[in-house]
Amino acid sequence: MKSSHAPSQDSRPSLPWRAAWCALLALTFLCAAPRVRAQSASGAIDAALIGQVRDLALIASQQSRVSGHPMPLRFDVTVGALDSHLKLAPCQRIEPYLPTGVRLWGKSRIGLRCTQGERPWNVYLPITVHVYGQAIVAAQPLALGATLQASDLAYAEVDLAEENSPVVVSEAMAVGRALTRSLTAGQGVRQADLKSRQWFAAGDTVKVLATGNGFSVAGVGTALSPGFEGQSARVRTEGGQVVIGMPVAARQLEVAL
C-alpha cells in the first residue's frame, strides 16, 4: 500500500493554557472590536475584522472533537464575503460572534453585529472550516463498482469536512468492498462510497451469538431477511424464536441482550 508523508502536526495550543487563550480572545472581541465601516456596495469588510472572524472560528472548531479520527488534525478557515446586495448603515464597532447551534464544519457562518452606529444591525458572514487529517484515498482512478484491493489505496491528508460522509481511516474498512461511485486519483474514500457487505442471504443457516452483561450464548438459526453490514436482520432460531440483531461476519448475527 502506498503512503504519503506523515501529516503536519496539530498546531493547537497545549491543554494547560488553551482555556486561557480562548478567554483572552473572547475578551479581545468584546473589548477591542475593530472600528470599521461595512461596505454596503461590494460586501467587503475590514481586513482586521476578517482576521478576528478567522481566529474565532479556528479556536471554536479546534475545541470540538472529531469522532472516529485518532490522528492529528489540522484546521484552517476560509472567510467569505457579505452579500453585495446588503445595505448596511455605517458602523464604528462590529463584533463577531458564534451563532447559537452553528456547526463549525465545512460551510458555516459567523455572526456580525453592529453595536455602535447609526442603526444597529446583525448579519451572517459565510465561512468554510477545513479539517485536514490522514485518511484512505484512491491511489489511481477507480471505476464505479470496482472491488477495492490494497494496491488501489494510499494514505494522504484530506479535508474531512469537505463532504458529510465520514472518511475511511483504515485499509481494513475498504479492502474487498465495492465502490458506489467512481473516484479520481488522490480523492478521499468516504464511507458512503463503499457498498455494504452482504454477510448472508435470506434462507441461509446463520450462527447467532447473543451477548449480555458478562455472558454470551451461541446457537444457529435460519435467516428471514438478508444480512447487510450496518443493517439489522431477522433470524428464526432452532427453537422457533425470531431474533433481531446485527450481521457482523459471514453467516453470523450478533444479538445484544
Side-chain angles (χ1 to χ4, degrees), residues 38 75 128 222 238:
F75 294 78
T128 302
T222 302
E238 290 180 310

Side-chain angles (χ1 to χ4, degrees), residues 55 64 69 110 185 206 221 237:
D55 289 343
S64 61
H69 204 288
I110 291 290
V206 176
T237 66

Side-chain angles (χ1 to χ4, degrees), residues 55-69:
D55 289 343
L56 174 61
L58 273 174
I59 290 176
S61 61
Q62 287 171 356
Q63 303 314 305
S64 61
R65 294 179 179 272
V66 180
S67 118
H69 204 288

Side-chain angles (χ1 to χ4, degrees), residues 4 11 27-28 37 62 81 92 95 111 114 120-121 126 139 163 168 179 190 207 223 236 254:
S4 66
S11 59
L27 184 63
T28 301
R37 295 172 64 91
Q62 287 171 356
Q92 287 70 51
E95 292 180 359
C114 175
W121 45 258
E163 298 180 31
V168 173
L179 286 175
R190 304 272 170 171
K207 179 180 178 180
R236 178 179 286 112
E254 190 170 282

Side-chain angles (χ1 to χ4, degrees), residues 155-168:
Y155 281 103
E157 187 181 66
V158 299
D159 184 358
L160 279 62
E162 188 174 23
E163 298 180 31
N164 290 330
S165 178
V167 295
V168 173

Side-chain angles (χ1 to χ4, degrees), residues 183-195:
L183 298 176
T184 59
Q187 186 175 358
V189 180
R190 304 272 170 171
Q191 292 182 19
D193 299 334
L194 303 177
K195 186 176 181 180

Side-chain angles (χ1 to χ4, degrees), residues 11 22 25 28 46 70 89 111 134 136 171 186 203 213:
S11 59
C22 294
L25 183 61
T28 301
D46 183 87
Q134 288 281 296
I136 296 293
E171 176 185 349
N213 187 14

Side-chain angles (χ1 to χ4, degrees), residues 58-255:
L58 273 174
I59 290 176
S61 61
Q62 287 171 356
Q63 303 314 305
S64 61
R65 294 179 179 272
V66 180
S67 118
H69 204 288
M71 302 179 185
L73 301 176
R74 182 171 62 86
F75 294 78
D76 195 13
V77 174
T78 301
V79 180
L82 292 174
D83 187 341
S84 60
H85 296 95
L86 287 174
K87 303 297 181 181
L88 302 176
C91 184
Q92 287 70 51
R93 180 182 290 274
I94 302 175
E95 292 180 359
Y97 68 93
L98 293 177
T100 302
V102 70
R103 185 188 186 213
L104 293 178
W105 182 272
K107 294 186 182 300
S108 188
R109 60 183 184 170
I110 291 290
L112 298 178
R113 55 190 166 210
C114 175
T115 60
Q116 184 178 329
E118 297 176 7
R119 293 188 303 276
W121 45 258
N122 184 87
V123 295
Y124 296 105
L125 180 65
I127 63 170
T128 302
V129 179
H130 307 279
V131 185
Y132 297 102
Q134 288 281 296
I136 296 293
V137 303
Q140 57 195 8
L142 299 172
L144 165 69
T147 299
L148 296 178
Q149 307 298 323
S151 58
D152 296 326
L153 307 172
Y155 281 103
E157 187 181 66
V158 299
D159 184 358
L160 279 62
E162 188 174 23
E163 298 180 31
N164 290 330
S165 178
V167 295
V168 173
V169 296
S170 75
E171 176 185 349
M173 295 173 60
V175 171
R177 307 277 292 275
L179 286 175
T180 60
R181 66 169 176 170
S182 59
L183 298 176
T184 59
Q187 186 175 358
V189 180
R190 304 272 170 171
Q191 292 182 19
D193 299 334
L194 303 177
K195 186 176 181 180
S196 297
R197 294 185 180 98
Q198 183 173 355
W199 292 121
F200 51 82
D204 284 349
T205 298
V206 176
K207 179 180 178 180
V208 179
L209 180 64
T211 58
N213 187 14
F215 72 93
S216 63
V217 179
V220 295
T222 302
L224 300 178
S225 61
F228 288 99
E229 184 175 39
Q231 302 177 25
S232 60
R234 296 182 303 125
V235 170
R236 178 179 286 112
T237 66
E238 290 180 310
Q241 181 183 7
V242 175
V243 297
I244 299 176
M246 297 299 294
V248 295
R251 298 196 176 195
Q252 293 186 38
L253 183 83
E254 190 170 282
V255 178

